[in-house]
Amino acid sequence: MLNTPQQPRIPIIESLCRRHLYPKTPLPVSLTITYLAEGAFNKLYMASASTDSSDSPELKVYVFRVSLPILIEKVHGVPLREVWPRMAISAKEEITKQVASCVLQMRALCRFDGIGSLYCRGALEEEEGVDVLDAKHDAYVIGPRRRLKVRRDRGPYLNDHDYVLALTQVELEDMKLLQESTEDAADYDKDLAEDAPDIVRATHKLQDLLPSILCRPSTPLGALPSTPSGASPDPPKGEFVLYRHDLSLSNVIVDPATYKVTGIVDWECVGIIPTWGDTYSQFLVGPGAHEEPEPLAAVETDEFLLKMWDDWEKVRLRKVFDGVVGQCRDSGMQELKREFRKQLYMLGFSVRFVERWLKAHLDDCRLLAPN
């Protein structure tokens, strides 16, 4: 069981800072503790310290990091990655059915009216200017997607148009920061900096096409849409689903003797996304294989042959997954939305790939189809 984390207490932080920074200082020390930022598993506080001395006043600023302690009950079993290589394809199919059943339950039972990250209620009280949405559960709220460094639109979002638009804005802001940084910066990427102008142009083209793919409802965050003649607005449909982005061989726990799923671990970064964005579990993702390869030798060591067989197995297992949860790679606008989002992720890897995609889809007018 996962215990609900408690918010760090300012007096305790102050006491720890005073104890370690000024254990033997005879002069009174003034400490001011203020919230600074947070990541997925840490919170940062700024400690401003000054000694009460008119002769030589001293002011120092420190950063205090509070890490999230996690205590969970251990379930029986081992990570799936430990047994996966020696499993027969029939056993892998059974495991895939079990995981797919878990995903199906999340899609059916865990539906929300907004897009963002899931937080314990009260976890964002110290962060000013943060919007939250009710998650229809007393213990949780929907808050912004986690992102540090730059203040930007991190959500939550009431519709998928604003969610994807924010992803494009993140790309533009990242490129701006990169172009303003110098080569001696620790995270400076020379190759990416050279592509930055092309990435910016491609991102603007994607933004221009966005309304053709995702309509934007005229509903501000926290408000209901207006309707003619005083009619009541439609209630939220709960069209967004709980998404476990890293459902991999490492965090699926199975009984090593029976290959039954006994648990799924590492839920710290669970989020909420549009239904069209929820596709295959991470361990099923891979390139397509059109033909079944030759059977492997009893002790095969050729990496190329092993990769070919792995790709073929994933194609077969994705069909098993679809048989439980329904077709993931559906046709029509949902697939096009996924393609569009994929281009945003590809910008930093190959802007030329994105440019070719834009040209191809503009030429055949696919992106101009009505939503």
Side-chain angles (χ1 to χ4, degrees):
M1 295 295 292
L2 175 64
N3 290 329
T4 301
Q6 301 297 315
Q7 292 299 309
R9 298 180 181 179
I10 297 297
I12 295 178
I13 295 176
E14 179 182 347
S15 175
L16 290 171
C17 288
R18 190 181 299 277
R19 184 189 312 168
H20 290 280
L21 294 175
Y22 300 98
K24 299 179 180 179
T25 300
L27 297 173
V29 177
S30 174
L31 276 176
T32 302
I33 310 297
T34 54
Y35 170 82
L36 181 60
E38 69 179 275
F41 310 107
N42 303 284
K43 285 197 173 188
L44 302 180
Y45 293 81
M46 185 167 64
S48 303
S50 61
T51 56
D52 186 12
S53 172
S54 57
D55 296 332
S56 57
E58 182 183 22
L59 177 63
K60 291 186 176 181
V61 179
Y62 303 87
V63 173
F64 187 97
R65 185 177 73 173
V66 183
S67 296
L68 176 66
I70 297 176
L71 181 66
I72 60 175
E73 179 183 346
K74 185 182 184 303
V75 297
H76 169 71
V78 298
L80 183 54
R81 58 178 165 78
E82 293 188 14
V83 296
W84 188 260
R86 65 174 183 266
M87 291 173 61
I89 185 64
S90 58
K92 291 180 178 180
E93 289 176 344
E94 289 303 314
I95 286 283
T96 300
K97 289 179 182 178
Q98 294 177 58
V99 173
S101 178
C102 294
V103 172
L104 184 63
Q105 290 182 55
M106 285 194 295
R107 292 183 183 181
L109 302 177
C110 305
R111 301 184 73 88
F112 303 87
D113 299 325
I115 301 168
S117 294
L118 204 59
Y119 294 81
C120 291
R121 190 176 294 275
L124 302 176
E125 289 179 349
E126 298 180 15
E127 191 170 347
E128 296 182 2
V130 173
D131 291 313
V132 296
L133 296 173
D134 185 51
K136 300 180 180 179
H137 191 290
D138 291 342
Y140 302 101
V141 294
I142 306 171
R145 293 181 295 117
R146 298 185 183 274
R147 185 84 182 206
L148 298 179
K149 288 189 177 181
V150 182
R151 296 193 67 85
R152 53 182 39 147
D153 179 9
R154 298 185 291 131
Y157 314 100
L158 282 179
N159 56 77
D160 52 7
H161 172 281
D162 290 351
Y163 161 64
V164 177
L165 178 61
L167 295 180
T168 66
Q169 287 299 126
V170 166
E171 192 66 42
L172 292 174
E173 290 161 3
D174 283 348
M175 291 302 101
K176 181 180 178 181
L177 283 176
L178 179 60
Q179 291 175 303
E180 292 174 349
S181 63
T182 58
E183 293 190 14
D184 57 352
D187 57 351
Y188 185 81
D189 187 324
K190 182 179 179 181
D191 293 334
L192 190 60
E194 291 176 354
D195 287 339
D198 293 334
I199 292 175
V200 170
R201 281 192 293 271
T203 305
H204 282 303
K205 290 180 181 179
L206 289 170
Q207 285 185 333
D208 292 340
L209 291 168
L210 183 57
S212 301
I213 304 172
L214 295 157
C215 292
R216 182 183 184 185
S218 57
T219 307
L221 183 63
L224 292 174
S226 58
T227 54
S229 305
S232 299
D234 292 333
K237 298 179 181 179
E239 57 183 320
F240 309 117
V241 294
L242 191 67
Y243 179 60
R244 174 57 194 274
H245 73 284
D246 185 26
L247 198 50
S248 67
L249 297 177
S250 297
N251 46 47
V252 176
I253 309 300
V254 298
D255 185 306
T258 64
Y259 297 150
K260 298 293 185 182
V261 174
T262 59
I264 297 176
V265 298
D266 296 341
W267 290 86
E268 292 87 350
C269 297
V270 65
I272 302 161
I273 64 171
T275 52
W276 54 260
D278 187 10
T279 56
Y280 296 112
S281 301
Q282 189 271 337
F283 71 95
L284 299 178
V285 175
H290 302 293
E291 297 182 1
E292 182 175 358
E294 293 293 327
L296 297 175
V299 184
E300 184 60 70
T301 59
D302 188 300
E303 293 185 2
F304 178 74
L305 293 178
L306 290 171
K307 179 66 166 57
M308 287 181 60
W309 190 259
D310 183 63
D311 290 343
W312 171 253
E313 277 192 345
K314 287 181 178 179
V315 170
R316 182 169 170 174
L317 295 176
R318 286 197 290 267
K319 293 179 180 178
V320 172
F321 187 93
D322 288 342
V324 176
V325 303
Q327 182 70 22
C328 272
R329 297 293 177 182
D330 57 327
S331 59
M333 290 304 297
Q334 289 201 347
E335 176 62 23
L336 186 54
K337 291 173 184 178
R338 282 194 289 271
E339 285 187 23
F340 187 90
R341 187 184 61 179
K342 177 182 177 181
Q343 306 314 307
L344 291 173
Y345 295 148
M346 288 298 297
L347 281 168
F349 298 99
S350 175
V351 66
R352 305 294 175 259
F353 177 93
V354 179
E355 290 171 342
R356 288 194 296 270
W357 184 87
L358 283 165
K359 184 179 186 304
H361 288 74
L362 282 173
D363 287 348
D364 65 17
C365 298
R366 282 185 57 194
L367 294 182
L368 302 180
N371 192 7

